[in-house]
Amino acid sequence: LVYLWGSMDYADQNRDPSYSPQLLEQLYQEAAGAREDESFRDAILSAYRENPENLLLAAWYQRLQATGTVTTSSGPESHRPRWWLAVPMGVLTGLIFWAISSPDLMFLDHLPYVALLWAPVAAVGVMGFLVLAGTSSSGRAGAMGLVLAAACAYVFLIAPIQIESVQQHYLNLMALHLPLLALVAVGVTLVGMRENRQDRFAFLLKSLEIFVTCGLFGIAGVIFVQITAGMFESLGIVITDSIARLVAALGAGMIPVLGVVTIYNPAAAPFGQDFSRGLSRLIATLTRILLPLTAGVLLVYICFIPFNFMGPFEDRELLIIFNVMLFAIMALLLGAIPINAEDLSDRVQLYLRRGIVAVACLAVIVSLYALAAIVYRTIDGGLTVNRLTVIGWNSINIATLILLVYRQARADGESWVSALHSVFSTAAYGYVAWGLFVVVAIPLLFL
């Protein structure tokens, strides 16, 4: 059910106090009758965050909060991880990983099937858990599962008809871009297609936390396996390759689901998650500490560019390092942005805002430098699959950084956080569109 927030300016509707209460009550009754209470709750929370001075929205917010329907980022409902659902789902995902990870299963003698399918399989496992554990739509999850299946099928059908030089580069790109589509599928399952920039930004921020959590699980798993293998070896017990592969597959399959169940509360919307404690607070603190350090490194690097100006123009590996660094900077900016300005003092907000803008400005300069290098290499050596892909990603990152700086220049002291949310929410469309272009259109251009 699409409510009026998605198709009209709600502020205009509030000008008639005799009409707006009737509208909200009607929408609430329709939502309750259709069992879409969560959608109504999300709409109220989003509208209230954008218009906290609106008395009607404030009254509805307090009404829903009093009945336990609304949760906030500063005071979410208790998160009780549903391990009884997560563990079986993780085991099932791990068994699928094991089935497709046989050394004999190589696609076109270039990449193992598991390198292409791990992210879609993990996404389906996560979506299944979210549907069973929370209020995520089973219809959206099913539709996104079909989209991922179609994308994988397309890759397996289009790659064999490519010439060998393009084929290998395309498959390498798919190992990086199918995980992006998998993340998009999970996001649509949670947020839907509604225009809700706060939920979309919160989902991106939570995704960053889940990636870090999965990394920690992975490190712990590797340490445990190494210690266990050493103990068995000291006793003369030999672990066969098949058993080792089964253990590795089960661990890899469980990590994404366990990362989600540990960090994400499926009973609350993305913006209603807890961002004030635990890993959320650690990531926010760490990224904000790194902001001035990153600005200093970028400034020093820009000063030294004239002394080795042609480096990335001639060295492909150096250019790759540039692009990886730029994506790391985007992740750093995402992690440093607060979910609510009220969580920080005015002084901290001032310096944090300046740090974000400074890093964005310096990153624009470095990004334009990297883009010039890849364009130069394209003119000199011709357009390739990799070069076209990198040009697209660089262009989106540059546009996002410029948009960030522009909107911060226009935002006041109260709307600057909301403006940052809007920038990354808008950038998500660009990332999704270019990801789909790389998967679907690029192989057709190089037939």
Side-chain angles (χ1 to χ4, degrees), residues 180-255:
L180 172 63
L181 295 187
L183 178 64
V184 172
V186 176
V188 173
T189 299
L190 288 173
V191 181
M193 302 300 292
R194 299 190 307 273
E195 179 59 35
N196 191 331
R197 67 171 183 267
Q198 292 175 319
D199 270 344
R200 194 177 299 121
F201 175 81
F203 168 75
L204 294 175
L205 197 55
K206 272 297 171 184
S207 298
L208 181 61
E209 296 177 26
I210 292 173
F211 290 150
V212 173
T213 303
C214 290
L216 294 176
F217 275 129
I219 293 172
V222 170
I223 293 174
F224 175 78
V225 169
Q226 291 294 333
I227 293 175
T228 303
M231 293 175 62
F232 284 168
E233 185 178 354
S234 67
L235 297 175
I237 301 175
V238 178
I239 301 177
T240 63
D241 291 341
S242 59
I243 294 178
R245 184 167 63 85
L246 176 60
V247 172
L250 287 174
M254 292 189 68
I255 283 176

Side-chain angles (χ1 to χ4, degrees), residues 39 94 108 212 221 230 245 334 439:
S39 297
L108 300 177
V212 173
R245 184 167 63 85
L334 175 65
V439 173

Side-chain angles (χ1 to χ4, degrees), residues 89-103 105 112-126 245-257:
M89 190 65 69
V91 171
L92 178 59
T93 304
L95 290 175
I96 298 175
F97 279 4
W98 174 72
I100 63 177
S101 63
S102 172
L105 293 177
Y113 278 85
V114 68
L116 295 169
L117 295 176
W118 73 268
V121 171
V124 170
V126 169
R245 184 167 63 85
L246 176 60
V247 172
L250 287 174
M254 292 189 68
I255 283 176
V257 184

Side-chain angles (χ1 to χ4, degrees), residues 204 330 396 400 403 421-433:
L204 294 175
M330 299 302 291
I396 293 173
T400 301
L403 182 63
H421 293 178
S422 178
V423 168
F424 277 89
S425 178
T426 302
Y429 288 115
Y431 289 132
V432 173

